[in-house]
């Protein structure tokens, strides 16, 4: 689960591992991507995670629906 984190350069290795995983990744978003982006590299990796085969992006109210 990735929950509305600031996208910093330190997250790039973590996000890289998530894109390689076959385990579902649930991205819970409370703020816009623009508000959370500190590093463009991290933002690009995050986009790959949330739009990849295992990614599910949802705002907090939509999370239960996305998990059903």
């Amino acid at each position: 689960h990735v929950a509305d984190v600031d996208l910093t350069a330190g997250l790039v290795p973590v996000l890289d591992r998530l894109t390689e995983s076959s385990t579902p990744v649930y991205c819970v978003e409370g703020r816009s991507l623009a508000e959370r982006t500190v590093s463009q590299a991290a933002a690009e990796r995050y986009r790959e995670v949330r739009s990849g085969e295992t990614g599910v992006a949802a705002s907090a109210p939509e999370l239960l629906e996305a998990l059903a």
Side-chain angles (χ1 to χ4, degrees), residues 11-21 45 48-49:
L11 283 179
V12 171
V14 174
L15 295 169
D16 283 343
R17 296 290 289 169
L18 289 174
T19 59
E20 298 167 1
S21 173
R45 298 306 190 294
E48 291 172 16
V49 168

Side-chain angles (χ1 to χ4, degrees), residues 6-32:
D6 288 331
L7 300 168
T8 62
L11 283 179
V12 171
V14 174
L15 295 169
D16 283 343
R17 296 290 289 169
L18 289 174
T19 59
E20 298 167 1
S21 173
S22 61
T23 302
V25 177
Y26 299 97
C27 304
V28 182
E29 301 173 340
R31 299 176 289 156
S32 72

